[in-house]
Amino acid sequence: MTKPKQVTIVEVAEAAGVSIATVSNVLNRGGIRSSKETIRKVELAAEQLGYRRNTMAAGLSRNKTYEIGLIIPAMAGYYGQLAEHLQIEAHHAGYHLSVFSSGGFDPDIERRHLEVLQQRRVDGLICHGLAMGFETTRSIVNSGTPLVLINGWGWPEDIATGAVNLGFAGACLQSVKVLADHGCEAICYLGSKRSKVIDEQRLIGFNAGMAQFGGGVSQEIVDTMGLDIEAFLLDLMQRQAKPVGIVAFDDHVALRVLSAANKLHIDIPGRLKLIGINNDYIAKESYPGISSWDIPYIDQAQMAINKLMHKIGNKAESGEDREIEVPLTFIERGTTKLQ
């Protein structure tokens, strides 16, 4: 069986009626501007002829691969949606985004992914703060690869160019205010220590909210790992005669609380008021709907890509903060508000 003949840029140039240099500039994203009509003719000719760029060779020849690596803790939920928006923004910037999962915080998988990205000579990295460790990350950044973090607070400057962080602390602070304003005389935070810095940010906000708005209000902080939600709610209702508020780590934890409360016939929102975070579909479709904080995926993705592009292009960031905080938006539903 004969191997199919590989189409060359010479043939693309002949078909498009332009020079070989113009084809190379268009297909390899060179720095010379071409008209939209020229670009259209070259791309159409390449598509019709079945031309395929050798991206590895092109990247080595110009010391640029137009590839960005992304490492996230998992592919589901928030992480998957964020990866999708980052992929779109990278495409708009002329880059390909290669997405890797650390397999649920597995350091060996994380290390292997970093080695692969090094071998591929990606132009830059975007990594979720939960998916990375300081020393492993430092090993790749020291090779000259710029890194922008997603939800990475307080990372050393010799590792990360900067970070684009969601305002979890502010959301939890405001959650306490909402619950206090709604008459709750006891407010609980149901957290997830497994989520490390994300849980820490929520706790920072919760504690700040209690200090600012929780005068005379009792508080509890409980980790949900292995927690019997029904038993917890029964005990809480017995100890607290007045309305109780719960700030849940996310909407999945909030749904567990809501389901247990419905099973126990606890009046929501009269006796128990509940706020989650992420504004997942379950918050919208549950009954009653779960009050939650909406994630600005598009804004976070745009800011992260823009920050990385500035670094790759060696452009000044015009006084931009090293760590950018992206605020969340409160969506009130039936778990805090009477319909």
Side-chain angles (χ1 to χ4, degrees), residues 15-26:
V18 298
S19 69
I20 296 172
T22 297
V23 172
S24 177
N25 180 64
V26 171

Side-chain angles (χ1 to χ4, degrees), residues 41-261:
K41 287 196 298 184
V42 170
E43 290 180 342
L44 181 61
E47 181 180 352
Q48 291 176 338
L49 293 172
Y51 174 79
R52 294 291 180 270
R53 293 173 63 240
N54 185 333
T55 54
M56 183 66 72
L60 290 174
S61 68
R62 64 176 179 268
N63 198 29
K64 202 166 188 179
T65 62
Y66 286 95
E67 180 179 8
I68 297 170
L70 171 65
I71 300 181
I72 49 179
M75 296 294 188
Y78 159 75
Y79 306 118
Q81 291 190 57
L82 175 64
E84 183 173 327
H85 287 288
L86 283 168
Q87 180 175 270
I88 293 170
E89 296 304 323
H91 171 74
H92 290 160
Y95 282 75
H96 168 73
L97 184 72
S98 295
V99 184
F100 294 82
S101 164
S102 64
F105 319 109
D106 187 315
D108 291 331
I109 295 177
E110 170 199 317
R111 190 174 300 108
R112 177 58 186 149
H113 288 336
L114 284 169
E115 290 172 355
V116 169
L117 290 169
Q118 279 182 305
Q119 292 166 5
R120 288 163 63 160
R121 301 188 183 184
V122 293
D123 295 334
L125 279 171
I126 298 177
C127 299
H128 193 282
L130 277 181
M132 309 289 286
F134 279 13
E135 294 310 314
T136 308
T137 310
R138 184 176 273 115
S139 69
I140 188 169
V141 174
N142 282 347
S143 70
T145 308
L147 165 68
V148 169
L149 289 168
I150 293 286
N151 297 341
W153 291 267
W155 277 59
E157 292 189 29
D158 69 312
I159 299 180
T161 295
V164 180
N165 305 323
L166 292 175
F168 293 132
C172 284
L173 183 151
Q174 290 300 319
S175 293
V176 171
K177 182 180 187 304
V178 169
L179 294 174
D181 288 347
H182 281 55
C184 293
E185 298 196 11
I187 301 178
C188 306
Y189 170 68
L190 296 188
S192 174
K193 290 181 180 178
R194 181 174 181 270
S195 296
K196 304 173 186 175
V197 293
I198 306 300
D199 189 55
E200 290 173 7
Q201 286 296 310
R202 285 157 160 76
L203 266 174
I204 288 171
F206 178 79
N207 289 328
M210 291 302 300
Q212 188 171 347
F213 306 111
V217 177
S218 62
Q219 73 176 72
E220 293 185 30
I221 296 173
V222 179
D223 186 64
T224 55
M225 178 69 74
L227 179 67
D228 184 327
I229 297 290
E230 287 187 29
F232 167 75
L233 286 179
L234 280 173
D235 177 64
L236 187 63
M237 294 298 106
Q238 290 173 356
R239 289 185 287 108
Q240 303 291 342
K242 301 286 179 70
V244 174
I246 290 180
V247 180
F249 174 80
D250 61 15
D251 291 338
H252 291 273
V253 172
L255 182 62
R256 289 175 59 196
V257 174
L258 179 61
S259 298

Side-chain angles (χ1 to χ4, degrees), residues 260-276:
N262 285 334
K263 184 177 180 180
L264 296 170
H265 304 291
I266 298 172
D267 178 21
I268 298 176
R271 186 76 171 84
L272 176 66
K273 303 180 192 299
L274 175 65
I275 298 177

